[in-house]
Amino acid sequence: MDHDPEKGSPGAIAEKPRSGGAEDSSSNDDRDAPRQSTGILAQMRNFEARMDRKLGVESEAIVRKRAEDKKPVPWTEELNMALLWASGTMNTSCFATGFLGWQFGLSLKQSILITIFMSILGGATTGYCATFGAATGLRQISAGRFSFGWWPSGMIALLNCIQQMGWSAVSCITGGLALTAVSDGRVSLILGIVILAVVALIISLIGLNAILVYERFAWVIFLVIFLIIFGETGGYANTADPVKPLEGADLAGAVLSFMAIVYGSSASWAVIASDYYVHYPANVSRVKVFLMTTFGIAIPTAIGMVAGCVVASTLDKQPDWSAAYDRGLGYAIDAVLYPDGFAKFLLAVLVLSGINTNVLSIYSAALSFQQLAKPLAQVPRFIWTLVSFVCILALAVGGREELNAYLQNFLSLLGYWCTSYAVILFEEHFIFRKGSFDNYDLDGWNDPKRLPHGIGAAVAFLLGVVAWVMGMKQTWFTGPLAAVIGSSGGDVANELTFVVTAMAYIPARYLELLYFKR
Protein backbone atom coordinates (compact mmCIF):
# COMPACT_ATOMS: atom_id res chain seq x y z
CA MET A 1 0.00 0.00 0.00
CA ASP A 2 1.28 3.51 -0.73
CA HIS A 3 2.91 5.34 2.13
CA ASP A 4 1.63 8.79 2.95
CA PRO A 5 4.71 10.96 3.54
CA GLU A 6 2.66 13.35 5.66
CA LYS A 7 2.17 10.64 8.27
CA GLY A 8 5.82 10.11 9.01
CA SER A 9 9.13 8.94 7.63
CA PRO A 10 9.48 6.08 5.16
CA GLY A 11 10.47 3.89 8.10
CA ALA A 12 6.92 3.91 9.42
CA ILE A 13 4.60 1.98 7.12
CA ALA A 14 0.91 2.66 7.53
CA GLU A 15 -1.16 -0.21 6.16
CA LYS A 16 -4.86 -0.97 6.09
CA PRO A 17 -6.26 -2.68 9.16
CA ARG A 18 -5.79 -6.43 9.05
CA SER A 19 -9.33 -7.20 10.14
CA GLY A 20 -10.74 -6.41 6.71
CA GLY A 21 -13.96 -4.53 6.12
CA ALA A 22 -15.78 -2.85 3.30
CA GLU A 23 -12.65 -2.84 1.14
CA ASP A 24 -12.26 -6.60 1.13
CA SER A 25 -13.33 -7.03 -2.48
CA SER A 26 -9.82 -7.85 -3.70
CA SER A 27 -9.46 -10.55 -1.11
CA ASN A 28 -12.81 -12.03 -2.01
CA ASP A 29 -11.77 -12.02 -5.67
CA ASP A 30 -8.56 -13.80 -4.71
CA ARG A 31 -10.49 -16.35 -2.75
CA ASP A 32 -12.73 -17.12 -5.71
CA ALA A 33 -10.12 -16.78 -8.49
CA PRO A 34 -8.95 -20.40 -8.56
CA ARG A 35 -12.50 -21.54 -9.33
CA GLN A 36 -12.62 -19.40 -12.47
CA SER A 37 -10.36 -21.74 -14.46
CA THR A 38 -11.93 -23.80 -17.20
CA GLY A 39 -11.44 -27.19 -18.81
CA ILE A 40 -9.40 -29.90 -17.15
CA LEU A 41 -8.19 -27.55 -14.40
CA ALA A 42 -11.76 -26.72 -13.46
CA GLN A 43 -12.64 -30.40 -13.32
CA MET A 44 -9.65 -31.17 -11.11
CA ARG A 45 -10.45 -28.26 -8.79
CA ASN A 46 -14.08 -29.38 -8.54
CA PHE A 47 -12.87 -32.86 -7.67
CA GLU A 48 -10.56 -31.43 -5.02
CA ALA A 49 -13.41 -29.34 -3.62
CA ARG A 50 -15.61 -32.43 -3.30
CA MET A 51 -12.81 -34.26 -1.51
CA ASP A 52 -12.40 -31.24 0.75
CA ARG A 53 -16.03 -31.45 1.81
CA LYS A 54 -15.74 -35.18 2.49
CA LEU A 55 -12.19 -35.55 3.83
CA GLY A 56 -10.96 -32.02 4.53
CA VAL A 57 -8.18 -32.12 1.93
CA GLU A 58 -7.81 -28.30 1.81
CA SER A 59 -8.96 -27.40 -1.67
CA GLU A 60 -7.84 -23.78 -1.19
CA ALA A 61 -4.94 -24.24 1.17
CA ILE A 62 -3.01 -21.03 0.50
CA VAL A 63 -5.99 -18.67 0.88
CA ARG A 64 -5.64 -16.44 3.94
CA LYS A 65 -7.37 -17.69 7.08
CA ARG A 66 -9.11 -14.62 8.50
CA ALA A 67 -9.14 -13.88 12.21
CA GLU A 68 -12.92 -13.77 12.34
CA ASP A 69 -13.21 -17.17 10.67
CA LYS A 70 -10.92 -18.98 13.11
CA LYS A 71 -12.15 -20.63 16.27
CA PRO A 72 -10.43 -20.91 19.66
CA VAL A 73 -8.46 -24.12 20.09
CA PRO A 74 -7.99 -26.10 23.32
CA TRP A 75 -4.61 -26.20 25.00
CA THR A 76 -4.17 -29.78 23.84
CA GLU A 77 -4.30 -28.50 20.26
CA GLU A 78 -1.67 -25.85 21.09
CA LEU A 79 0.71 -28.63 22.08
CA ASN A 80 1.00 -29.36 18.37
CA MET A 81 3.26 -26.30 18.13
CA ALA A 82 5.93 -28.47 19.73
CA LEU A 83 4.81 -32.05 19.04
CA LEU A 84 4.52 -31.47 15.30
CA TRP A 85 8.23 -30.71 15.08
CA ALA A 86 9.18 -33.42 17.55
CA SER A 87 7.76 -36.00 15.16
CA GLY A 88 9.32 -34.34 12.13
CA THR A 89 12.86 -34.04 13.52
CA MET A 90 13.47 -37.07 15.74
CA ASN A 91 14.44 -39.36 12.90
CA THR A 92 17.19 -41.33 11.20
CA SER A 93 18.36 -38.23 9.30
CA CYS A 94 19.24 -36.43 12.53
CA PHE A 95 20.83 -39.63 13.83
CA ALA A 96 23.01 -39.79 10.69
CA THR A 97 23.97 -36.12 11.05
CA GLY A 98 25.35 -36.83 14.53
CA PHE A 99 28.08 -39.01 12.97
CA LEU A 100 29.55 -36.01 11.13
CA GLY A 101 31.21 -34.57 14.23
CA TRP A 102 33.28 -37.74 14.55
CA GLN A 103 34.10 -37.61 10.85
CA PHE A 104 35.35 -34.04 11.25
CA GLY A 105 37.71 -35.26 13.99
CA LEU A 106 35.84 -33.73 16.95
CA SER A 107 35.60 -35.36 20.37
CA LEU A 108 32.30 -36.62 21.76
CA LYS A 109 32.11 -33.71 24.20
CA GLN A 110 32.72 -31.17 21.45
CA SER A 111 30.15 -32.78 19.17
CA ILE A 112 27.47 -32.88 21.87
CA LEU A 113 27.96 -29.24 22.91
CA ILE A 114 27.79 -28.04 19.32
CA THR A 115 24.72 -30.18 18.66
CA ILE A 116 22.77 -28.82 21.63
CA PHE A 117 23.54 -25.13 21.25
CA MET A 118 23.28 -24.96 17.46
CA SER A 119 20.00 -26.91 17.52
CA ILE A 120 18.60 -24.23 19.84
CA LEU A 121 19.91 -21.40 17.66
CA GLY A 122 18.53 -22.96 14.48
CA GLY A 123 15.25 -23.72 16.28
CA ALA A 124 15.00 -20.09 17.37
CA THR A 125 15.35 -18.96 13.75
CA THR A 126 12.40 -21.17 12.84
CA GLY A 127 10.51 -20.19 15.99
CA TYR A 128 10.55 -16.53 15.03
CA CYS A 129 9.24 -17.20 11.51
CA ALA A 130 6.49 -19.41 12.97
CA THR A 131 5.01 -16.40 14.80
CA PHE A 132 3.71 -15.01 11.50
CA GLY A 133 1.29 -17.89 10.89
CA ALA A 134 -1.48 -17.32 13.41
CA ALA A 135 -1.15 -13.52 13.38
CA THR A 136 -1.51 -13.15 9.60
CA GLY A 137 -3.44 -16.31 8.70
CA LEU A 138 -0.96 -16.80 5.86
CA ARG A 139 1.40 -19.59 4.89
CA GLN A 140 5.08 -18.77 5.35
CA ILE A 141 5.86 -17.83 1.75
CA SER A 142 2.77 -15.63 1.53
CA ALA A 143 3.63 -13.90 4.82
CA GLY A 144 7.08 -13.20 3.41
CA ARG A 145 5.56 -11.20 0.55
CA PHE A 146 5.27 -8.20 2.89
CA SER A 147 9.06 -8.13 2.98
CA PHE A 148 10.08 -9.66 -0.36
CA GLY A 149 7.26 -8.33 -2.50
CA TRP A 150 5.60 -10.30 -5.26
CA TRP A 151 8.35 -11.37 -7.65
CA PRO A 152 11.25 -11.86 -5.21
CA SER A 153 8.94 -13.98 -3.04
CA GLY A 154 8.50 -16.24 -6.06
CA MET A 155 12.24 -16.87 -5.94
CA ILE A 156 11.92 -17.77 -2.26
CA ALA A 157 9.05 -20.14 -3.07
CA LEU A 158 11.17 -21.87 -5.72
CA LEU A 159 14.09 -22.25 -3.31
CA ASN A 160 11.71 -23.66 -0.75
CA CYS A 161 10.36 -26.21 -3.23
CA ILE A 162 13.91 -27.41 -3.88
CA GLN A 163 14.77 -27.41 -0.19
CA GLN A 164 11.76 -29.39 0.96
CA MET A 165 12.14 -31.97 -1.75
CA GLY A 166 15.85 -32.32 -0.99
CA TRP A 167 15.21 -32.68 2.73
CA SER A 168 12.59 -35.30 2.07
CA ALA A 169 15.01 -37.15 -0.21
CA VAL A 170 17.52 -37.32 2.66
CA SER A 171 14.84 -38.86 4.88
CA CYS A 172 13.95 -41.37 2.19
CA ILE A 173 17.58 -42.42 1.86
CA THR A 174 18.20 -42.86 5.58
CA GLY A 175 14.87 -44.64 6.06
CA GLY A 176 15.51 -46.80 3.02
CA LEU A 177 18.91 -47.82 4.40
CA ALA A 178 17.26 -48.88 7.64
CA LEU A 179 14.62 -50.87 5.76
CA THR A 180 17.32 -52.62 3.72
CA ALA A 181 19.18 -53.57 6.89
CA VAL A 182 16.12 -54.87 8.73
CA SER A 183 15.28 -57.10 5.75
CA ASP A 184 18.88 -58.38 5.54
CA GLY A 185 19.15 -56.93 2.06
CA ARG A 186 16.00 -58.53 0.66
CA VAL A 187 14.42 -55.09 0.29
CA SER A 188 16.59 -52.99 -1.99
CA LEU A 189 17.43 -49.42 -1.08
CA ILE A 190 15.42 -48.15 -4.05
CA LEU A 191 12.34 -50.11 -2.97
CA GLY A 192 12.75 -48.83 0.59
CA ILE A 193 12.89 -45.24 -0.70
CA VAL A 194 9.71 -45.79 -2.71
CA ILE A 195 7.83 -47.29 0.25
CA LEU A 196 8.64 -44.34 2.53
CA ALA A 197 7.77 -41.76 -0.10
CA VAL A 198 4.43 -43.40 -0.97
CA VAL A 199 3.23 -43.56 2.65
CA ALA A 200 4.14 -39.90 3.19
CA LEU A 201 2.40 -38.99 -0.07
CA ILE A 202 -0.89 -40.52 1.10
CA ILE A 203 -0.89 -38.56 4.38
CA SER A 204 0.15 -35.32 2.67
CA LEU A 205 -2.60 -35.62 0.08
CA ILE A 206 -5.27 -35.47 2.77
CA GLY A 207 -3.93 -32.18 4.14
CA LEU A 208 -3.20 -30.32 7.35
CA ASN A 209 -5.81 -32.03 9.53
CA ALA A 210 -4.38 -35.49 8.89
CA ILE A 211 -0.81 -34.21 9.32
CA LEU A 212 -1.54 -32.65 12.71
CA VAL A 213 -3.23 -35.79 14.01
CA TYR A 214 -0.44 -38.07 12.78
CA GLU A 215 2.45 -35.89 13.96
CA ARG A 216 0.88 -35.28 17.39
CA PHE A 217 1.54 -38.85 18.47
CA ALA A 218 4.27 -40.23 16.22
CA TRP A 219 7.16 -38.73 18.24
CA VAL A 220 6.50 -40.92 21.28
CA ILE A 221 7.59 -44.08 19.48
CA PHE A 222 10.84 -42.59 18.27
CA LEU A 223 11.70 -41.04 21.63
CA VAL A 224 11.48 -44.51 23.20
CA ILE A 225 13.72 -45.96 20.49
CA PHE A 226 16.38 -43.30 20.91
CA LEU A 227 16.32 -43.74 24.67
CA ILE A 228 16.93 -47.47 24.09
CA ILE A 229 19.85 -46.58 21.79
CA PHE A 230 21.31 -44.41 24.56
CA GLY A 231 20.82 -47.18 27.09
CA GLU A 232 22.45 -49.91 24.99
CA THR A 233 25.35 -47.86 23.56
CA GLY A 234 26.09 -45.31 26.29
CA GLY A 235 28.41 -47.69 28.11
CA TYR A 236 30.62 -47.94 25.02
CA ALA A 237 30.85 -44.19 24.42
CA ASN A 238 34.41 -42.96 23.96
CA THR A 239 34.77 -39.78 26.01
CA ALA A 240 38.52 -39.51 25.41
CA ASP A 241 40.01 -37.09 22.92
CA PRO A 242 40.69 -38.42 19.41
CA VAL A 243 44.01 -40.17 18.83
CA LYS A 244 45.12 -37.19 16.75
CA PRO A 245 43.20 -34.28 18.31
CA LEU A 246 42.69 -31.19 16.22
CA GLU A 247 44.33 -27.99 17.36
CA GLY A 248 44.33 -24.31 16.52
CA ALA A 249 42.88 -23.29 13.18
CA ASP A 250 42.17 -26.90 12.19
CA LEU A 251 39.99 -27.33 15.28
CA ALA A 252 38.26 -24.02 14.60
CA GLY A 253 37.55 -25.06 11.03
CA ALA A 254 36.04 -28.40 12.05
CA VAL A 255 33.92 -26.76 14.76
CA LEU A 256 32.60 -24.09 12.39
CA SER A 257 31.74 -26.64 9.71
CA PHE A 258 29.85 -28.90 12.10
CA MET A 259 28.08 -25.87 13.58
CA ALA A 260 26.85 -24.91 10.11
CA ILE A 261 25.44 -28.37 9.48
CA VAL A 262 23.59 -28.66 12.81
CA TYR A 263 22.26 -25.11 12.56
CA GLY A 264 21.09 -25.74 9.01
CA SER A 265 19.17 -28.81 10.10
CA SER A 266 17.03 -26.81 12.55
CA ALA A 267 16.89 -23.50 10.67
CA SER A 268 15.74 -25.19 7.48
CA TRP A 269 12.18 -25.34 8.83
CA ALA A 270 12.00 -21.52 8.95
CA VAL A 271 10.51 -21.14 5.47
CA ILE A 272 7.60 -23.53 6.17
CA ALA A 273 6.97 -22.93 9.89
CA SER A 274 3.83 -20.81 9.68
CA ASP A 275 2.28 -23.26 7.19
CA TYR A 276 1.16 -25.23 10.26
CA TYR A 277 -0.07 -22.33 12.42
CA VAL A 278 -2.65 -20.57 10.23
CA HIS A 279 -5.57 -22.25 12.01
CA TYR A 280 -4.64 -20.86 15.44
CA PRO A 281 -6.43 -17.69 16.67
CA ALA A 282 -4.75 -14.47 15.55
CA ASN A 283 -4.30 -13.33 19.16
CA VAL A 284 -2.40 -16.42 20.32
CA SER A 285 0.70 -15.44 22.29
CA ARG A 286 3.66 -14.96 19.94
CA VAL A 287 6.00 -15.73 22.83
CA LYS A 288 4.26 -19.07 23.30
CA VAL A 289 4.52 -19.83 19.60
CA PHE A 290 8.20 -18.90 19.58
CA LEU A 291 9.18 -20.94 22.63
CA MET A 292 7.16 -24.03 21.79
CA THR A 293 8.45 -24.06 18.22
CA THR A 294 12.06 -23.37 19.19
CA PHE A 295 12.29 -26.14 21.76
CA GLY A 296 9.89 -28.39 19.88
CA ILE A 297 12.57 -28.44 17.19
CA ALA A 298 15.74 -28.11 19.26
CA ILE A 299 15.17 -30.82 21.88
CA PRO A 300 14.08 -33.67 19.56
CA THR A 301 16.76 -32.74 17.01
CA ALA A 302 19.43 -32.79 19.71
CA ILE A 303 18.20 -36.15 21.02
CA GLY A 304 18.57 -37.79 17.61
CA MET A 305 21.89 -36.14 16.79
CA VAL A 306 23.45 -36.78 20.19
CA ALA A 307 22.53 -40.45 19.80
CA GLY A 308 24.46 -40.37 16.53
CA CYS A 309 27.39 -38.64 18.25
CA VAL A 310 27.48 -41.33 20.95
CA VAL A 311 27.41 -44.25 18.52
CA ALA A 312 30.00 -42.58 16.25
CA SER A 313 32.40 -42.19 19.18
CA THR A 314 32.43 -45.97 19.65
CA LEU A 315 33.44 -46.85 16.11
CA ASP A 316 37.20 -46.48 16.66
CA LYS A 317 37.09 -49.13 19.41
CA GLN A 318 34.30 -51.33 18.07
CA PRO A 319 35.53 -52.70 14.69
CA ASP A 320 32.36 -54.76 14.16
CA TRP A 321 30.20 -51.66 14.55
CA SER A 322 32.52 -49.68 12.29
CA ALA A 323 32.27 -52.36 9.60
CA ALA A 324 28.49 -52.33 9.89
CA TYR A 325 28.45 -48.53 9.53
CA ASP A 326 30.55 -48.81 6.39
CA ARG A 327 27.78 -50.99 4.93
CA GLY A 328 25.11 -48.43 5.73
CA LEU A 329 23.36 -46.59 8.54
CA GLY A 330 20.69 -49.25 8.97
CA TYR A 331 23.29 -51.97 9.45
CA ALA A 332 25.00 -49.82 12.10
CA ILE A 333 21.75 -49.46 14.05
CA ASP A 334 21.15 -53.19 13.75
CA ALA A 335 24.67 -53.91 15.04
CA VAL A 336 24.62 -51.65 18.11
CA LEU A 337 21.24 -52.86 19.41
CA TYR A 338 20.59 -56.23 21.07
CA PRO A 339 19.26 -58.88 21.15
CA ASP A 340 19.18 -59.33 17.40
CA GLY A 341 15.45 -59.95 17.03
CA PHE A 342 14.62 -56.94 19.19
CA ALA A 343 17.10 -54.84 17.21
CA LYS A 344 15.39 -55.69 13.96
CA PHE A 345 12.00 -54.82 15.44
CA LEU A 346 13.22 -51.42 16.60
CA LEU A 347 14.89 -50.81 13.27
CA ALA A 348 11.68 -51.64 11.44
CA VAL A 349 9.77 -49.12 13.56
CA LEU A 350 12.53 -46.52 13.19
CA VAL A 351 12.09 -46.71 9.43
CA LEU A 352 8.77 -44.92 9.92
CA SER A 353 10.59 -41.83 11.24
CA GLY A 354 11.48 -40.90 7.68
CA ILE A 355 7.77 -40.67 6.92
CA ASN A 356 7.32 -37.94 9.54
CA THR A 357 9.73 -35.59 7.80
CA ASN A 358 8.47 -36.47 4.35
CA VAL A 359 4.88 -35.63 5.31
CA LEU A 360 5.84 -32.07 6.27
CA SER A 361 8.17 -31.58 3.32
CA ILE A 362 5.80 -32.87 0.63
CA TYR A 363 2.90 -30.83 2.02
CA SER A 364 4.86 -27.57 2.18
CA ALA A 365 6.56 -28.12 -1.18
CA ALA A 366 3.11 -28.38 -2.80
CA LEU A 367 2.04 -25.12 -1.11
CA SER A 368 5.20 -23.39 -2.35
CA PHE A 369 4.50 -24.48 -5.92
CA GLN A 370 1.09 -22.82 -5.63
CA GLN A 371 2.73 -19.61 -4.40
CA LEU A 372 5.22 -19.33 -7.27
CA ALA A 373 2.72 -17.43 -9.45
CA LYS A 374 -1.03 -16.86 -9.71
CA PRO A 375 -1.54 -19.28 -12.65
CA LEU A 376 0.18 -22.03 -10.66
CA ALA A 377 -2.16 -21.39 -7.74
CA GLN A 378 -5.02 -22.53 -9.97
CA VAL A 379 -3.48 -25.98 -10.24
CA PRO A 380 -4.96 -28.11 -7.42
CA ARG A 381 -2.75 -28.81 -4.43
CA PHE A 382 -2.95 -32.57 -4.92
CA ILE A 383 -1.33 -32.20 -8.38
CA TRP A 384 1.62 -30.32 -6.88
CA THR A 385 1.81 -32.95 -4.15
CA LEU A 386 2.22 -35.62 -6.83
CA VAL A 387 4.84 -33.50 -8.63
CA SER A 388 6.77 -33.14 -5.38
CA PHE A 389 6.56 -36.89 -4.81
CA VAL A 390 8.06 -37.65 -8.24
CA CYS A 391 10.90 -35.15 -7.74
CA ILE A 392 11.70 -36.55 -4.30
CA LEU A 393 11.94 -40.06 -5.69
CA ALA A 394 14.33 -38.87 -8.40
CA LEU A 395 16.56 -37.03 -5.90
CA ALA A 396 16.60 -39.89 -3.39
CA VAL A 397 17.39 -42.57 -5.93
CA GLY A 398 20.07 -40.41 -7.54
CA GLY A 399 21.75 -39.52 -4.23
CA ARG A 400 21.42 -42.84 -2.44
CA GLU A 401 25.08 -43.90 -2.79
CA GLU A 402 26.66 -40.78 -1.26
CA LEU A 403 24.61 -40.16 1.85
CA ASN A 404 27.20 -38.43 4.04
CA ALA A 405 28.38 -36.11 1.27
CA TYR A 406 24.72 -35.39 0.54
CA LEU A 407 24.07 -34.48 4.18
CA GLN A 408 27.16 -32.28 4.49
CA ASN A 409 26.51 -30.37 1.29
CA PHE A 410 22.76 -30.08 1.49
CA LEU A 411 22.19 -29.31 5.16
CA SER A 412 24.79 -26.54 5.20
CA LEU A 413 23.24 -24.89 2.16
CA LEU A 414 19.83 -24.97 3.87
CA GLY A 415 20.98 -22.79 6.73
CA TYR A 416 22.57 -20.13 4.56
CA TRP A 417 19.54 -18.73 2.81
CA CYS A 418 17.15 -19.42 5.69
CA THR A 419 19.31 -17.07 7.75
CA SER A 420 18.85 -14.28 5.19
CA TYR A 421 15.11 -14.95 5.05
CA ALA A 422 14.66 -14.76 8.83
CA VAL A 423 16.81 -11.63 9.19
CA ILE A 424 14.80 -9.78 6.52
CA LEU A 425 11.48 -10.76 8.13
CA PHE A 426 12.77 -9.65 11.52
CA GLU A 427 14.00 -6.23 10.40
CA GLU A 428 10.93 -5.55 8.28
CA HIS A 429 8.62 -6.33 11.18
CA PHE A 430 10.39 -4.48 13.99
CA ILE A 431 11.99 -1.58 12.11
CA PHE A 432 9.64 -0.79 9.24
CA ARG A 433 6.34 -2.18 10.60
CA LYS A 434 7.02 -1.02 14.16
CA GLY A 435 6.45 -4.51 15.54
CA SER A 436 2.70 -4.46 14.86
CA PHE A 437 0.64 -6.55 12.45
CA ASP A 438 -1.80 -3.64 12.27
CA ASN A 439 0.75 -2.08 9.92
CA TYR A 440 0.31 -4.87 7.35
CA ASP A 441 -2.25 -4.71 4.56
CA LEU A 442 -3.12 -8.36 5.04
CA ASP A 443 -6.11 -8.19 2.71
CA GLY A 444 -3.68 -7.35 -0.09
CA TRP A 445 -1.50 -10.42 0.42
CA ASN A 446 -2.28 -11.70 -3.10
CA ASP A 447 -2.28 -8.36 -4.94
CA PRO A 448 1.10 -7.24 -6.35
CA LYS A 449 -0.09 -3.62 -6.40
CA ARG A 450 -0.63 -3.62 -2.65
CA LEU A 451 2.66 -5.29 -1.74
CA PRO A 452 6.18 -3.85 -1.55
CA HIS A 453 8.27 -4.13 -4.71
CA GLY A 454 10.74 -6.23 -2.72
CA ILE A 455 13.78 -4.41 -4.12
CA GLY A 456 15.32 -3.92 -0.68
CA ALA A 457 14.83 -7.57 0.22
CA ALA A 458 16.18 -8.73 -3.13
CA VAL A 459 19.32 -6.59 -2.77
CA ALA A 460 19.96 -7.76 0.80
CA PHE A 461 19.26 -11.38 -0.09
CA LEU A 462 21.58 -11.38 -3.10
CA LEU A 463 24.35 -9.73 -1.08
CA GLY A 464 23.77 -12.49 1.47
CA VAL A 465 24.28 -15.02 -1.33
CA VAL A 466 27.64 -13.43 -2.12
CA ALA A 467 28.53 -13.62 1.58
CA TRP A 468 27.74 -17.30 1.94
CA VAL A 469 29.57 -18.17 -1.26
CA MET A 470 32.62 -16.42 0.19
CA GLY A 471 32.33 -18.27 3.50
CA MET A 472 30.99 -21.70 2.58
CA LYS A 473 32.91 -24.95 2.84
CA GLN A 474 31.60 -27.87 0.85
CA THR A 475 33.23 -30.92 -0.68
CA TRP A 476 32.70 -29.39 -4.11
CA PHE A 477 33.59 -25.77 -3.26
CA THR A 478 35.38 -23.84 -0.55
CA GLY A 479 34.94 -20.08 -0.44
CA PRO A 480 38.02 -17.86 -0.23
CA LEU A 481 37.28 -16.78 3.35
CA ALA A 482 36.51 -20.33 4.48
CA ALA A 483 39.73 -21.60 2.91
CA VAL A 484 41.99 -19.58 5.21
CA ILE A 485 40.69 -21.34 8.36
CA GLY A 486 42.92 -24.32 9.02
CA SER A 487 44.27 -26.81 6.53
CA SER A 488 40.80 -28.07 5.56
CA GLY A 489 38.86 -24.82 5.81
CA GLY A 490 36.00 -23.80 8.06
CA ASP A 491 32.42 -22.86 7.22
CA VAL A 492 31.65 -19.25 8.21
CA ALA A 493 28.87 -18.69 5.67
CA ASN A 494 26.04 -18.35 8.19
CA GLU A 495 27.91 -15.76 10.23
CA LEU A 496 28.80 -13.71 7.15
CA THR A 497 25.29 -14.04 5.74
CA PHE A 498 23.72 -12.80 8.97
CA VAL A 499 25.93 -9.72 9.18
CA VAL A 500 25.77 -8.77 5.50
CA THR A 501 22.00 -9.27 5.20
CA ALA A 502 21.28 -7.36 8.41
CA MET A 503 23.47 -4.43 7.37
CA ALA A 504 22.23 -4.30 3.78
CA TYR A 505 18.47 -4.58 4.29
CA ILE A 506 17.91 -1.45 6.39
CA PRO A 507 19.32 1.13 3.93
CA ALA A 508 18.05 -0.79 0.88
CA ARG A 509 14.50 -0.99 2.26
CA TYR A 510 14.61 2.64 3.39
CA LEU A 511 15.52 3.77 -0.12
CA GLU A 512 12.80 1.55 -1.58
CA LEU A 513 10.24 3.24 0.68
CA LEU A 514 11.61 6.67 -0.11
CA TYR A 515 11.23 6.30 -3.87
CA PHE A 516 8.33 3.86 -4.29
CA LYS A 517 6.27 4.72 -1.18
CA ARG A 518 5.32 1.13 -0.38
Side-chain angles (χ1 to χ4, degrees):
M1 176 178 180
D2 289 350
H3 169 69
D4 185 352
E6 296 179 358
K7 293 182 181 179
S9 68
I13 297 179
E15 300 285 6
K16 295 179 181 179
R18 64 188 176 117
S19 58
E23 53 210 11
D24 275 355
S25 59
S26 68
S27 181
N28 291 334
D29 291 342
D30 289 336
R31 184 178 295 189
D32 296 334
R35 292 197 180 100
Q36 296 171 1
S37 54
T38 59
I40 185 65
L41 272 181
Q43 294 177 20
M44 289 191 296
R45 290 199 64 84
N46 289 335
F47 170 77
E48 187 181 47
R50 289 196 298 271
M51 291 300 99
D52 190 5
R53 290 190 292 269
K54 295 179 179 180
L55 302 174
V57 299
E58 291 186 287
S59 61
E60 300 203 8
I62 65 171
V63 172
R64 181 185 163 219
K65 308 301 184 287
R66 297 168 175 276
E68 59 269 25
D69 295 334
K70 294 190 284 188
K71 301 177 181 179
V73 298
W75 67 270
T76 52
E77 179 76 10
E78 292 184 342
L79 289 177
N80 270 351
M81 295 179 192
L83 302 184
L84 170 77
W85 307 110
S87 294
T89 58
M90 205 182 318
N91 52 39
T92 50
S93 296
C94 285
F95 182 70
T97 304
F99 283 75
L100 298 179
W102 167 72
Q103 293 183 0
F104 284 137
L106 300 175
S107 69
L108 177 59
K109 181 186 297 185
Q110 291 166 336
S111 296
I112 290 176
L113 287 174
I114 291 171
T115 294
I116 293 173
F117 287 108
M118 296 312 295
S119 293
I120 294 174
L121 183 59
T125 301
T126 300
Y128 171 73
C129 293
T131 62
F132 283 74
T136 65
L138 293 170
R139 309 293 180 154
Q140 193 70 64
I141 299 299
S142 294
R145 289 175 180 174
F146 293 97
S147 301
F148 286 87
W150 183 263
W151 295 112
S153 69
M155 174 186 64
I156 298 299
L158 179 60
L159 285 172
N160 191 40
C161 291
I162 297 171
Q163 170 173 304
Q164 297 311 318
M165 292 186 295
W167 184 248
S168 187
V170 171
S171 296
C172 285
I173 293 171
T174 53
L177 287 169
L179 192 57
T180 299
V182 77
S183 66
D184 292 324
R186 288 188 292 272
V187 175
S188 68
L189 176 54
I190 293 178
L191 180 57
I193 289 171
V194 171
I195 292 173
L196 266 71
V198 168
V199 175
L201 169 67
I202 294 171
I203 298 173
S204 298
L205 279 172
I206 299 176
L208 185 59
N209 291 336
I211 291 172
L212 293 177
V213 171
Y214 173 79
E215 302 282 9
R216 183 185 302 174
F217 303 105
W219 64 275
V220 177
I221 298 172
F222 306 110
L223 174 61
V224 172
I225 293 176
F226 278 114
L227 291 178
I228 292 172
I229 292 176
F230 280 118
E232 295 196 357
T233 64
Y236 300 94
N238 182 7
T239 58
D241 291 333
V243 177
K244 295 182 180 179
L246 299 173
E247 296 179 348
D250 288 342
L251 175 60
V255 168
L256 288 168
S257 296
F258 190 48
M259 285 171 58
I261 291 172
V262 177
Y263 167 82
S265 177
S266 295
S268 64
W269 302 105
V271 286
I272 71 170
S274 73
D275 290 357
Y276 303 95
Y277 292 76
V278 293
H279 64 292
Y280 289 110
N283 61 354
V284 67
S285 169
R286 296 187 74 204
V287 174
K288 180 193 296 184
V289 172
F290 172 78
L291 292 176
M292 293 187 71
T293 304
T294 297
F295 290 102
I297 291 174
I299 295 174
T301 298
I303 289 173
M305 286 190 185
V306 169
C309 294
V310 170
V311 175
S313 74
T314 69
L315 299 184
D316 289 330
K317 294 186 176 181
Q318 298 290 331
D320 292 343
W321 292 3
S322 181
Y325 179 69
D326 290 338
R327 293 183 64 193
L329 181 68
Y331 292 101
I333 298 173
D334 190 21
V336 302
L337 297 176
Y338 55 86
D340 185 62
F342 181 59
K344 290 191 180 301
F345 169 74
L346 293 181
L347 188 56
V349 176
L350 194 58
V351 167
L352 301 177
S353 69
I355 295 172
N356 302 343
T357 302
N358 291 356
V359 166
L360 301 179
S361 297
I362 293 176
Y363 176 76
S364 287
L367 295 180
S368 291
F369 275 118
Q370 288 190 309
Q371 294 169 94
L372 281 169
K374 281 190 176 182
L376 299 183
Q378 296 183 9
V379 178
R381 184 183 66 84
F382 76 88
I383 296 296
W384 291 122
T385 301
L386 293 173
V387 170
S388 302
F389 166 75
V390 172
C391 293
I392 288 166
L393 281 182
L395 286 170
V397 172
R400 68 188 185 280
E401 301 298 339
E402 298 293 339
L403 174 60
N404 286 325
Y406 197 13
L407 283 170
Q408 291 181 47
N409 294 334
F410 190 70
L411 293 183
S412 294
L413 288 173
L414 293 185
Y416 301 154
W417 77 274
C418 290
T419 296
S420 286
Y421 178 84
V423 167
I424 290 171
L425 257 63
F426 183 90
E427 292 188 337
E428 175 70 24
H429 184 71
F430 286 103
I431 296 176
F432 298 100
R433 308 279 179 171
K434 306 305 180 185
S436 173
F437 285 105
D438 290 333
N439 292 327
Y440 290 74
D441 181 13
L442 294 179
D443 292 328
W445 72 274
N446 205 31
D447 185 352
K449 296 180 181 179
R450 296 169 66 176
L451 293 168
H453 288 292
I455 297 173
V459 169
F461 188 86
L462 292 175
L463 288 174
V465 170
V466 174
W468 58 256
V469 170
M470 296 287 288
M472 68 189 290
K473 179 190 178 298
Q474 304 294 334
T475 55
W476 49 275
F477 178 79
T478 299
L481 294 179
V484 301
I485 304 175
S487 58
S488 300
D491 196 310
V492 291
N494 283 307
E495 294 84 347
L496 288 174
T497 300
F498 177 87
V499 172
V500 170
T501 304
M503 293 180 63
Y505 184 68
I506 296 175
R509 180 68 170 119
Y510 185 87
L511 290 174
E512 179 186 354
L513 282 167
L514 185 65
Y515 287 100
F516 295 102
K517 311 300 182 186
R518 61 177 184 179

